[in-house]
Amino acid sequence: MIVKATAPIYAERAAKLVELTGSFKESIYIKKGDRTADGKSFLGIIALSIYPDEPIEIICDPPSTQLKERILASGLFASCKS
């Protein structure tokens, strides 16, 4: 799923994202440009330097519709039409 951050993903928001992704047993990855981080890794997410309006891809293996719903409901990300 392609989304964009609603605000920069710094410490507090990265911790919230890790808490959300950690509640899933599936493997979750966050991809920004040519870099990919484990979606359950606080430092990995911080290292991606995610800023608002930059499209990022959230990959879940195996795919989970519940993840998409929870990511969008969290307020951290919004749908991206690109």
Short mmCIF file of all heavy atoms in Angstrom, two decimals, residues 7-68:
data_model
loop_
_atom_site.label_atom_id
_atom_site.label_comp_id
_atom_site.label_asym_id
_atom_site.label_seq_id
_atom_site.Cartn_x
_atom_site.Cartn_y
_atom_site.Cartn_z
N ALA A 7 2.52 13.86 9.20
CA ALA A 7 3.50 14.70 9.88
C ALA A 7 4.82 13.92 9.88
O ALA A 7 4.82 12.72 9.62
CB ALA A 7 3.05 14.99 11.32
N PRO A 8 5.93 14.59 10.14
CA PRO A 8 7.20 13.86 10.16
C PRO A 8 7.17 12.71 11.15
O PRO A 8 6.57 12.81 12.22
CB PRO A 8 8.23 14.92 10.60
CG PRO A 8 7.60 16.23 10.28
CD PRO A 8 6.12 16.02 10.44
N ILE A 9 7.80 11.60 10.79
CA ILE A 9 7.85 10.43 11.67
C ILE A 9 9.14 10.52 12.50
O ILE A 9 10.20 10.06 12.09
CB ILE A 9 7.78 9.11 10.86
CG1 ILE A 9 6.54 9.08 9.98
CG2 ILE A 9 7.83 7.91 11.80
CD1 ILE A 9 5.22 9.04 10.70
N TYR A 10 9.01 11.19 13.65
CA TYR A 10 10.10 11.28 14.61
C TYR A 10 9.82 10.32 15.75
O TYR A 10 8.93 9.48 15.65
CB TYR A 10 10.24 12.71 15.12
CG TYR A 10 10.65 13.72 14.07
CD1 TYR A 10 10.06 14.97 14.02
CD2 TYR A 10 11.63 13.43 13.14
CE1 TYR A 10 10.43 15.91 13.07
CE2 TYR A 10 12.02 14.36 12.18
CZ TYR A 10 11.41 15.60 12.14
OH TYR A 10 11.78 16.52 11.20
N ALA A 11 10.52 10.47 16.85
CA ALA A 11 10.49 9.50 17.96
C ALA A 11 9.09 9.07 18.39
O ALA A 11 8.79 7.88 18.39
CB ALA A 11 11.25 10.06 19.15
N GLU A 12 8.24 10.00 18.77
CA GLU A 12 6.92 9.63 19.30
C GLU A 12 6.07 8.91 18.25
O GLU A 12 5.45 7.88 18.53
CB GLU A 12 6.20 10.87 19.81
CG GLU A 12 4.87 10.57 20.47
CD GLU A 12 4.20 11.81 21.02
OE1 GLU A 12 4.89 12.78 21.38
OE2 GLU A 12 2.96 11.80 21.07
N ARG A 13 6.06 9.44 17.04
CA ARG A 13 5.25 8.84 15.98
C ARG A 13 5.87 7.52 15.51
O ARG A 13 5.16 6.58 15.16
CB ARG A 13 5.08 9.83 14.83
CG ARG A 13 4.23 11.04 15.25
CD ARG A 13 4.20 12.13 14.19
NE ARG A 13 3.50 11.72 13.00
CZ ARG A 13 2.18 11.80 12.84
NH1 ARG A 13 1.40 12.25 13.81
NH2 ARG A 13 1.62 11.42 11.70
N ALA A 14 7.19 7.42 15.51
CA ALA A 14 7.85 6.15 15.15
C ALA A 14 7.51 5.08 16.18
O ALA A 14 7.25 3.93 15.84
CB ALA A 14 9.36 6.34 15.02
N ALA A 15 7.51 5.46 17.45
CA ALA A 15 7.16 4.51 18.51
C ALA A 15 5.72 4.04 18.35
O ALA A 15 5.42 2.84 18.53
CB ALA A 15 7.38 5.14 19.88
N LYS A 16 4.84 4.94 18.00
CA LYS A 16 3.43 4.58 17.78
C LYS A 16 3.31 3.61 16.60
O LYS A 16 2.56 2.64 16.65
CB LYS A 16 2.60 5.84 17.53
CG LYS A 16 1.12 5.58 17.40
CD LYS A 16 0.34 6.88 17.25
CE LYS A 16 -1.14 6.60 17.09
NZ LYS A 16 -1.92 7.83 16.91
N LEU A 17 4.08 3.86 15.54
CA LEU A 17 4.06 2.98 14.37
C LEU A 17 4.60 1.60 14.72
O LEU A 17 4.03 0.58 14.34
CB LEU A 17 4.85 3.60 13.22
CG LEU A 17 4.93 2.79 11.94
CD1 LEU A 17 3.54 2.46 11.39
CD2 LEU A 17 5.74 3.55 10.89
N VAL A 18 5.69 1.54 15.48
CA VAL A 18 6.27 0.25 15.88
C VAL A 18 5.30 -0.51 16.78
O VAL A 18 5.15 -1.73 16.65
CB VAL A 18 7.64 0.46 16.58
CG1 VAL A 18 8.12 -0.81 17.25
CG2 VAL A 18 8.66 0.95 15.58
N GLU A 19 4.61 0.19 17.65
CA GLU A 19 3.62 -0.46 18.50
C GLU A 19 2.50 -1.06 17.64
O GLU A 19 2.08 -2.20 17.86
CB GLU A 19 3.03 0.55 19.49
CG GLU A 19 2.02 -0.03 20.44
CD GLU A 19 1.47 1.01 21.42
OE1 GLU A 19 2.11 2.06 21.62
OE2 GLU A 19 0.40 0.74 21.96
N LEU A 20 2.05 -0.30 16.64
CA LEU A 20 1.00 -0.79 15.75
C LEU A 20 1.47 -1.99 14.94
O LEU A 20 0.81 -3.02 14.91
CB LEU A 20 0.56 0.36 14.82
CG LEU A 20 -0.67 0.13 13.97
CD1 LEU A 20 -1.31 1.46 13.64
CD2 LEU A 20 -0.35 -0.59 12.69
N THR A 21 2.61 -1.88 14.29
CA THR A 21 3.10 -2.98 13.45
C THR A 21 3.50 -4.19 14.29
O THR A 21 3.36 -5.32 13.84
CB THR A 21 4.30 -2.54 12.58
OG1 THR A 21 5.34 -2.03 13.42
CG2 THR A 21 3.89 -1.49 11.56
N GLY A 22 3.96 -3.96 15.50
CA GLY A 22 4.35 -5.06 16.38
C GLY A 22 3.18 -5.92 16.82
O GLY A 22 3.37 -7.05 17.27
N SER A 23 1.97 -5.41 16.67
CA SER A 23 0.79 -6.18 17.06
C SER A 23 0.38 -7.18 15.98
O SER A 23 -0.55 -7.95 16.17
CB SER A 23 -0.38 -5.24 17.38
OG SER A 23 -0.84 -4.57 16.21
N PHE A 24 1.09 -7.19 14.85
CA PHE A 24 0.83 -8.13 13.76
C PHE A 24 1.90 -9.20 13.73
O PHE A 24 3.08 -8.91 13.95
CB PHE A 24 0.81 -7.40 12.40
CG PHE A 24 -0.42 -6.55 12.20
CD1 PHE A 24 -0.48 -5.26 12.71
CD2 PHE A 24 -1.52 -7.03 11.52
CE1 PHE A 24 -1.60 -4.48 12.55
CE2 PHE A 24 -2.65 -6.27 11.34
CZ PHE A 24 -2.69 -4.99 11.86
N LYS A 25 1.51 -10.44 13.43
CA LYS A 25 2.49 -11.52 13.33
C LYS A 25 3.18 -11.52 11.97
O LYS A 25 4.27 -12.06 11.82
CB LYS A 25 1.84 -12.86 13.61
CG LYS A 25 0.80 -13.26 12.59
CD LYS A 25 0.16 -14.59 12.90
CE LYS A 25 -0.89 -14.87 11.83
NZ LYS A 25 -1.91 -15.75 12.20
N GLU A 26 2.56 -10.89 10.97
CA GLU A 26 3.13 -10.84 9.62
C GLU A 26 4.41 -9.99 9.60
O GLU A 26 4.62 -9.14 10.45
CB GLU A 26 2.13 -10.22 8.63
CG GLU A 26 0.88 -11.03 8.41
CD GLU A 26 -0.24 -10.75 9.42
OE1 GLU A 26 -0.03 -9.95 10.35
OE2 GLU A 26 -1.31 -11.35 9.27
N SER A 27 5.24 -10.22 8.59
CA SER A 27 6.42 -9.37 8.37
C SER A 27 5.95 -8.09 7.70
O SER A 27 5.16 -8.13 6.77
CB SER A 27 7.41 -10.08 7.45
OG SER A 27 7.90 -11.24 8.06
N ILE A 28 6.41 -6.96 8.22
CA ILE A 28 6.00 -5.66 7.69
C ILE A 28 7.26 -4.86 7.37
O ILE A 28 8.17 -4.77 8.19
CB ILE A 28 5.11 -4.91 8.70
CG1 ILE A 28 3.84 -5.73 8.96
CG2 ILE A 28 4.76 -3.52 8.18
CD1 ILE A 28 3.00 -5.24 10.11
N TYR A 29 7.28 -4.29 6.17
CA TYR A 29 8.42 -3.49 5.72
C TYR A 29 7.93 -2.12 5.27
O TYR A 29 6.83 -1.99 4.73
CB TYR A 29 9.16 -4.18 4.57
CG TYR A 29 9.63 -5.55 4.95
CD1 TYR A 29 8.88 -6.68 4.65
CD2 TYR A 29 10.81 -5.73 5.66
CE1 TYR A 29 9.28 -7.95 5.03
CE2 TYR A 29 11.23 -7.00 6.04
CZ TYR A 29 10.46 -8.09 5.73
OH TYR A 29 10.87 -9.35 6.11
N ILE A 30 8.78 -1.11 5.49
CA ILE A 30 8.47 0.24 5.06
C ILE A 30 9.53 0.62 4.03
O ILE A 30 10.73 0.53 4.31
CB ILE A 30 8.53 1.23 6.24
CG1 ILE A 30 7.71 0.69 7.38
CG2 ILE A 30 8.16 2.62 5.79
CD1 ILE A 30 6.51 1.38 7.82
N LYS A 31 9.07 1.04 2.86
CA LYS A 31 9.99 1.37 1.77
C LYS A 31 9.83 2.83 1.39
O LYS A 31 8.73 3.30 1.12
CB LYS A 31 9.71 0.48 0.56
CG LYS A 31 10.67 0.69 -0.57
CD LYS A 31 10.42 -0.30 -1.69
CE LYS A 31 11.44 -0.05 -2.79
NZ LYS A 31 11.25 -0.95 -3.91
N LYS A 32 10.94 3.54 1.37
CA LYS A 32 10.98 4.94 0.94
C LYS A 32 12.09 5.05 -0.09
O LYS A 32 13.26 4.84 0.23
CB LYS A 32 11.25 5.87 2.10
CG LYS A 32 11.36 7.33 1.68
CD LYS A 32 11.74 8.21 2.84
CE LYS A 32 12.12 9.58 2.34
NZ LYS A 32 12.76 10.38 3.37
N GLY A 33 11.70 5.32 -1.33
CA GLY A 33 12.69 5.38 -2.40
C GLY A 33 13.35 4.03 -2.56
O GLY A 33 12.68 3.02 -2.69
N ASP A 34 14.67 3.99 -2.50
CA ASP A 34 15.39 2.73 -2.67
C ASP A 34 15.80 2.10 -1.34
O ASP A 34 16.51 1.11 -1.31
CB ASP A 34 16.63 2.94 -3.55
CG ASP A 34 17.61 3.93 -2.96
OD1 ASP A 34 17.26 4.62 -1.99
OD2 ASP A 34 18.74 4.02 -3.47
N ARG A 35 15.31 2.67 -0.23
CA ARG A 35 15.65 2.14 1.10
C ARG A 35 14.44 1.44 1.72
O ARG A 35 13.31 1.90 1.60
CB ARG A 35 16.12 3.26 2.02
CG ARG A 35 17.36 3.93 1.48
CD ARG A 35 17.87 5.02 2.37
NE ARG A 35 16.81 5.64 3.14
CZ ARG A 35 17.01 6.64 3.98
NH1 ARG A 35 18.20 7.14 4.14
NH2 ARG A 35 16.01 7.15 4.65
N THR A 36 14.69 0.34 2.39
CA THR A 36 13.64 -0.43 3.04
C THR A 36 14.04 -0.70 4.48
O THR A 36 15.20 -0.99 4.77
CB THR A 36 13.41 -1.76 2.30
OG1 THR A 36 13.10 -1.49 0.94
CG2 THR A 36 12.27 -2.55 2.93
N ALA A 37 13.07 -0.60 5.39
CA ALA A 37 13.31 -0.87 6.80
C ALA A 37 12.27 -1.85 7.32
O ALA A 37 11.14 -1.89 6.83
CB ALA A 37 13.26 0.42 7.61
N ASP A 38 12.65 -2.60 8.32
CA ASP A 38 11.70 -3.47 9.02
C ASP A 38 10.68 -2.55 9.71
O ASP A 38 11.05 -1.64 10.45
CB ASP A 38 12.46 -4.30 10.05
CG ASP A 38 11.59 -5.30 10.79
OD1 ASP A 38 10.35 -5.11 10.86
OD2 ASP A 38 12.15 -6.27 11.30
N GLY A 39 9.42 -2.77 9.45
CA GLY A 39 8.36 -1.94 10.02
C GLY A 39 8.20 -2.09 11.53
O GLY A 39 7.47 -1.33 12.15
N LYS A 40 8.89 -3.05 12.11
CA LYS A 40 8.83 -3.27 13.55
C LYS A 40 10.09 -2.77 14.25
O LYS A 40 10.29 -2.99 15.43
CB LYS A 40 8.60 -4.75 13.84
CG LYS A 40 7.28 -5.25 13.26
CD LYS A 40 7.08 -6.71 13.49
CE LYS A 40 5.80 -7.17 12.81
NZ LYS A 40 5.52 -8.58 13.03
N SER A 41 10.96 -2.08 13.49
CA SER A 41 12.23 -1.58 14.01
C SER A 41 12.17 -0.07 14.19
O SER A 41 12.09 0.69 13.22
CB SER A 41 13.38 -1.93 13.06
OG SER A 41 14.54 -1.20 13.39
N PHE A 42 12.22 0.38 15.44
CA PHE A 42 12.19 1.81 15.74
C PHE A 42 13.32 2.54 15.02
O PHE A 42 13.09 3.53 14.32
CB PHE A 42 12.29 2.01 17.25
CG PHE A 42 12.33 3.45 17.67
CD1 PHE A 42 11.17 4.20 17.74
CD2 PHE A 42 13.53 4.05 18.00
CE1 PHE A 42 11.21 5.53 18.12
CE2 PHE A 42 13.58 5.38 18.39
CZ PHE A 42 12.41 6.12 18.45
N LEU A 43 14.55 2.04 15.16
CA LEU A 43 15.69 2.71 14.52
C LEU A 43 15.61 2.66 13.00
O LEU A 43 16.00 3.62 12.32
CB LEU A 43 17.01 2.11 15.01
CG LEU A 43 17.34 2.39 16.47
CD1 LEU A 43 18.64 1.69 16.87
CD2 LEU A 43 17.44 3.88 16.73
N GLY A 44 15.11 1.55 12.46
CA GLY A 44 14.95 1.45 11.02
C GLY A 44 14.00 2.49 10.47
O GLY A 44 14.25 3.12 9.44
N ILE A 45 12.89 2.70 11.18
CA ILE A 45 11.90 3.70 10.75
C ILE A 45 12.48 5.10 10.87
O ILE A 45 12.34 5.92 9.96
CB ILE A 45 10.61 3.53 11.56
CG1 ILE A 45 9.92 2.22 11.17
CG2 ILE A 45 9.67 4.71 11.33
CD1 ILE A 45 8.78 1.82 12.05
N ILE A 46 13.16 5.39 11.96
CA ILE A 46 13.79 6.70 12.15
C ILE A 46 14.79 6.96 11.02
O ILE A 46 14.87 8.06 10.48
CB ILE A 46 14.49 6.79 13.53
CG1 ILE A 46 13.46 6.78 14.65
CG2 ILE A 46 15.39 8.01 13.62
CD1 ILE A 46 12.61 8.01 14.81
N ALA A 47 15.57 5.94 10.65
CA ALA A 47 16.61 6.10 9.62
C ALA A 47 16.03 6.44 8.25
O ALA A 47 16.73 7.01 7.42
CB ALA A 47 17.45 4.83 9.54
N LEU A 48 14.76 6.10 8.01
CA LEU A 48 14.17 6.41 6.71
C LEU A 48 13.88 7.90 6.53
O LEU A 48 13.70 8.36 5.41
CB LEU A 48 12.86 5.62 6.51
CG LEU A 48 13.01 4.13 6.28
CD1 LEU A 48 11.63 3.48 6.18
CD2 LEU A 48 13.84 3.83 5.05
N SER A 49 13.84 8.67 7.61
CA SER A 49 13.55 10.11 7.55
C SER A 49 12.27 10.37 6.76
O SER A 49 12.30 10.96 5.68
CB SER A 49 14.72 10.88 6.94
OG SER A 49 15.89 10.70 7.68
N ILE A 50 11.16 9.95 7.31
CA ILE A 50 9.87 10.09 6.62
C ILE A 50 9.26 11.44 6.94
O ILE A 50 9.06 11.80 8.11
CB ILE A 50 8.91 8.96 7.05
CG1 ILE A 50 9.52 7.60 6.71
CG2 ILE A 50 7.54 9.13 6.40
CD1 ILE A 50 8.77 6.42 7.28
N TYR A 51 8.98 12.22 5.90
CA TYR A 51 8.38 13.54 6.02
C TYR A 51 7.03 13.57 5.33
O TYR A 51 6.74 12.73 4.47
CB TYR A 51 9.31 14.60 5.39
CG TYR A 51 10.62 14.71 6.13
CD1 TYR A 51 11.77 14.10 5.63
CD2 TYR A 51 10.70 15.39 7.33
CE1 TYR A 51 12.97 14.18 6.31
CE2 TYR A 51 11.90 15.48 8.02
CZ TYR A 51 13.03 14.88 7.50
OH TYR A 51 14.21 14.96 8.18
N PRO A 52 6.18 14.54 5.68
CA PRO A 52 4.85 14.62 5.07
C PRO A 52 4.91 14.73 3.55
O PRO A 52 5.86 15.30 3.00
CB PRO A 52 4.25 15.89 5.67
CG PRO A 52 5.00 16.11 6.92
CD PRO A 52 6.38 15.59 6.67
N ASP A 53 3.89 14.20 2.92
CA ASP A 53 3.69 14.27 1.46
C ASP A 53 4.71 13.49 0.64
O ASP A 53 4.73 13.60 -0.57
CB ASP A 53 3.59 15.72 0.98
CG ASP A 53 2.41 16.43 1.62
OD1 ASP A 53 1.34 15.79 1.79
OD2 ASP A 53 2.54 17.62 1.95
N GLU A 54 5.58 12.72 1.28
CA GLU A 54 6.48 11.83 0.55
C GLU A 54 5.82 10.46 0.48
O GLU A 54 5.46 9.89 1.52
CB GLU A 54 7.81 11.68 1.27
CG GLU A 54 8.64 12.91 1.32
CD GLU A 54 9.94 12.70 2.08
OE1 GLU A 54 10.00 11.86 3.00
OE2 GLU A 54 10.90 13.39 1.74
N PRO A 55 5.64 9.93 -0.72
CA PRO A 55 5.02 8.60 -0.79
C PRO A 55 5.96 7.53 -0.25
O PRO A 55 7.14 7.53 -0.54
CB PRO A 55 4.76 8.41 -2.29
CG PRO A 55 5.70 9.34 -2.97
CD PRO A 55 5.96 10.47 -2.02
N ILE A 56 5.40 6.67 0.58
CA ILE A 56 6.13 5.52 1.07
C ILE A 56 5.26 4.29 0.85
O ILE A 56 4.04 4.39 0.73
CB ILE A 56 6.53 5.64 2.56
CG1 ILE A 56 5.30 5.67 3.45
CG2 ILE A 56 7.41 6.82 2.81
CD1 ILE A 56 5.61 5.33 4.87
N GLU A 57 5.90 3.15 0.79
CA GLU A 57 5.16 1.91 0.58
C GLU A 57 5.26 1.07 1.85
O GLU A 57 6.34 0.89 2.41
CB GLU A 57 5.73 1.13 -0.59
CG GLU A 57 4.97 -0.12 -0.92
CD GLU A 57 5.46 -0.84 -2.17
OE1 GLU A 57 6.49 -0.42 -2.74
OE2 GLU A 57 4.81 -1.81 -2.55
N ILE A 58 4.12 0.55 2.29
CA ILE A 58 4.09 -0.36 3.42
C ILE A 58 3.76 -1.73 2.86
O ILE A 58 2.74 -1.92 2.21
CB ILE A 58 3.07 0.09 4.48
CG1 ILE A 58 3.46 1.48 5.01
CG2 ILE A 58 3.00 -0.93 5.62
CD1 ILE A 58 2.50 2.07 6.01
N ILE A 59 4.67 -2.66 3.10
CA ILE A 59 4.56 -4.01 2.54
C ILE A 59 4.32 -4.98 3.69
O ILE A 59 5.07 -4.99 4.67
CB ILE A 59 5.85 -4.38 1.79
CG1 ILE A 59 6.14 -3.35 0.71
CG2 ILE A 59 5.76 -5.79 1.22
CD1 ILE A 59 7.58 -3.32 0.26
N CYS A 60 3.30 -5.80 3.54
CA CYS A 60 2.97 -6.81 4.55
C CYS A 60 3.02 -8.17 3.88
O CYS A 60 2.42 -8.38 2.83
CB CYS A 60 1.58 -6.53 5.11
SG CYS A 60 1.12 -7.62 6.46
N ASP A 61 3.76 -9.10 4.51
CA ASP A 61 3.91 -10.44 3.94
C ASP A 61 3.56 -11.48 4.99
O ASP A 61 4.29 -11.63 5.97
CB ASP A 61 5.35 -10.63 3.47
CG ASP A 61 5.55 -11.97 2.78
OD1 ASP A 61 4.60 -12.46 2.16
OD2 ASP A 61 6.67 -12.51 2.87
N PRO A 62 2.44 -12.19 4.82
CA PRO A 62 1.46 -12.12 3.74
C PRO A 62 0.58 -10.88 3.89
O PRO A 62 0.50 -10.31 4.97
CB PRO A 62 0.66 -13.41 3.92
CG PRO A 62 0.77 -13.73 5.36
CD PRO A 62 2.12 -13.23 5.80
N PRO A 63 -0.07 -10.45 2.80
CA PRO A 63 -0.90 -9.24 2.82
C PRO A 63 -1.99 -9.30 3.90
O PRO A 63 -2.52 -10.36 4.20
CB PRO A 63 -1.52 -9.22 1.43
CG PRO A 63 -0.57 -10.00 0.59
CD PRO A 63 -0.03 -11.07 1.48
N SER A 64 -2.29 -8.14 4.47
CA SER A 64 -3.30 -8.04 5.53
C SER A 64 -4.16 -6.80 5.28
O SER A 64 -3.64 -5.68 5.27
CB SER A 64 -2.64 -7.93 6.90
OG SER A 64 -3.58 -7.58 7.88
N THR A 65 -5.45 -7.00 5.08
CA THR A 65 -6.35 -5.85 4.93
C THR A 65 -6.53 -5.13 6.26
O THR A 65 -6.74 -3.93 6.28
CB THR A 65 -7.73 -6.28 4.38
OG1 THR A 65 -8.27 -7.27 5.24
CG2 THR A 65 -7.62 -6.82 2.97
N GLN A 66 -6.41 -5.86 7.35
CA GLN A 66 -6.54 -5.25 8.66
C GLN A 66 -5.41 -4.25 8.92
O GLN A 66 -5.62 -3.20 9.52
CB GLN A 66 -6.56 -6.30 9.75
CG GLN A 66 -6.86 -5.73 11.12
CD GLN A 66 -6.86 -6.78 12.21
OE1 GLN A 66 -6.19 -7.81 12.10
NE2 GLN A 66 -7.59 -6.52 13.27
N LEU A 67 -4.21 -4.54 8.42
CA LEU A 67 -3.09 -3.61 8.59
C LEU A 67 -3.40 -2.29 7.91
O LEU A 67 -3.21 -1.23 8.50
CB LEU A 67 -1.79 -4.20 8.04
CG LEU A 67 -0.60 -3.23 8.07
CD1 LEU A 67 -0.19 -2.91 9.50
CD2 LEU A 67 0.58 -3.79 7.30
N LYS A 68 -3.88 -2.35 6.68
CA LYS A 68 -4.20 -1.12 5.94
C LYS A 68 -5.22 -0.28 6.71
O LYS A 68 -5.04 0.92 6.89
CB LYS A 68 -4.74 -1.45 4.55
CG LYS A 68 -5.06 -0.23 3.74
CD LYS A 68 -5.52 -0.59 2.34
CE LYS A 68 -5.81 0.67 1.54
NZ LYS A 68 -6.19 0.38 0.17
#
